[in-house]
DNA sequence: GTCAATTCACATGAAAGAGACCACGGTCTAGTG
DNA sequence: CTAGACCGTGGTCTCTTTCATGTGAATTGACGA
């Protein structure tokens, strides 16, 4: 016991003595906003131009922004509105900016909760459930009106709103100004679904996208500069192997120029090196980081998903083990699921539901499915699991039974 | 051999139910002056 | 008299079931050469 304690002590002391690789890790986090945002000057000025009327308390046009993940949409909108907020504060203008991410589950995935969330951001509270939705709207209108303010409503990942609850609610929101006398609301919608706007009802489309902007992906060179800018202040000097940043940039550029991904790669690689007590981050660390990020995402998704989902995933994995390379189909999964379920006394869902769960697993990226038509033999989803064996093992530890 | 009809094994949609959660208003109860 | 406990009602939310409809190539079978 005493010996162990001493060992642990040593470990901690060594840990502290170690030359840390980082100066400030949070700089390498994607939601850190640097002083100077690179390669987005054009977008910044454009957004500023569009939003500027709000400083005269005139309602700016609704703005619709689209671009792939990690192209800086959120970052820049936040940056511009923040700056504006400060100017407004100095001039004592009643300007409010509310940022809502519509995707983060459990926060705002119903009409009710979304409005409740906006209300919360305006500094009021409303019960989390139990009220008729109409009451929530009325309450929202009332407080906006009472505050006599110009409200800029930023709705990130706005496509999720429509997917979950249709565009009726967006229509209501865009028409809100008709009902307000003292206040005005303008909406900034952000999405990474490039087709989203075309699937909207025309009346919503026209009012939501009075202005439109596209954020192009970063290319490898730009990513590299962004990484360099942050690495300079986030990492200690000379801890990065030659060409390491280029590698991160290149890897991320392959994945549709995602700056968030690039930063994560760099940071995780640094953490890995740090953990091993090295004082140089190497190329291998980046490779390991790449794998680790994917695996962690998947594991996290599985851990937090409901038991039935886990059970179905387990059925899929078991099938994969059994028939080796052969493809797996929905029907088979359902059969295996049924036997496992009954064996362990877990209630069995209908095949209809199982089918949905399989596509949910697909969306999470845990499995890949493809719709195949096998003529006489019907139509089904072909399921494949592209996980390394170590990941599979990790997953199996989490799974409910067996 | 050819062509259209059939058929399979699910996918996909819509609607509705079950059970959990919660706010609200009314009623009851115990403590206080 | 009043604050707080307790209860019933009516609303939402999530997960699920039930019913209904769709899909598209392999298969079948009729037909003609």
């Amino acid at each position: 016991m005493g010996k162990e304690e001493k060992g642990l002590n040593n470990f901690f002391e060594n840990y502290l003595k170690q030359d840390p690789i980082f100066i400030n890790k949070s700089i390498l986090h994607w939601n850190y906003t640097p002083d100077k945002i690179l390669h987005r000057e054009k977008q910044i000025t454009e957004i500023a131009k569009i939003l500027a009327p709000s400083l005269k308390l005139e309602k700016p046009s609704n703005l619709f922004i689209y671009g792939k993940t990690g192209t800086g949409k959120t970052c820049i909108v936040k940056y511009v509105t923040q700056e504006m907020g400060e100017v407004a504060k100095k001039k004592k203008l009643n300007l409010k900016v509310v940022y809502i991410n519509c995707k983060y589950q459990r926060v705002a995935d119903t009409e009710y909760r979304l409005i409740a969330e906006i209300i919360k951001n305006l500094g009021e509270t409303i019960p989390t459930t139990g009220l008729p939705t109409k009451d929530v709207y009325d309450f929202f209108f009332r407080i906006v009106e009472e505050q006599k303010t110009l409200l800029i409503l930023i709705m990130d990942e706005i496509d999720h709103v429509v997917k979950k609850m249709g565009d009726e609610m967006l229509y209501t929101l865009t028409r809100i100004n008709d009902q307000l006398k003292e206040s005005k609301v303008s909406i900034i919608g952000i999405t990474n679904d490039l087709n989203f706007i075309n699937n909207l009802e025309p009346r919503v489309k026209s009012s939501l996208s009075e202005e439109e902007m596209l954020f192009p992906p970063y290319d490898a060179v730009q990513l590299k500069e962004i990484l360099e800018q942050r690495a300079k202040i986030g990492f200690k000097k000379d801890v990065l192997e030659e060409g390491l940043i280029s590698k991160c940039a290149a890897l991320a550029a392959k994945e549709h120029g995602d700056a968030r991904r690039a930063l994560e790669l760099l940071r995780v690689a640094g953490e890995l090196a740090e953990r091993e007590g090295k004082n140089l981050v190497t190329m291998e660390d980046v490779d390991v980081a790449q794998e680790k990020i994917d695996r962690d995402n998947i594991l996290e998704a599985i851990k937090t998903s409901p038991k039935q989902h886990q059970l179905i995933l387990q059925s899929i994995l078991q099938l994969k083990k059994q028939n080796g390379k052969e493809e797996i189909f929905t029907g088979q999964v359902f059969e295996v699921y049924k036997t496992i379920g009954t064996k362990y006394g877990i209630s069995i869902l209908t095949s209809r539901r199982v089918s949905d769960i399989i596509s949910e697993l697909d969306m999470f990226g845990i499995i890949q499915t493809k719709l195949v038509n096998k003529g006489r033999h019907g139509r089904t989803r072909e399921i494949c699991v592209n996980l390394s064996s170590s990941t599979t093992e990790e997953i199996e530890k989490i799974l409910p039974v067996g």
Side-chain angles (χ1 to χ4, degrees), chain A residues 64 66 162 167 191 193-202 204-206 208-209 212:
Chain A
F64 186 76
Y66 48 104
V162 176
D167 42 19
T191 178
D193 180 353
L194 303 183
N195 284 321
F196 168 72
I197 194 83
N198 297 323
N199 300 331
L200 284 177
E201 230 182 288
V204 182
K205 183 177 167 180
S206 62
L208 183 63
S209 60
E212 271 184 50

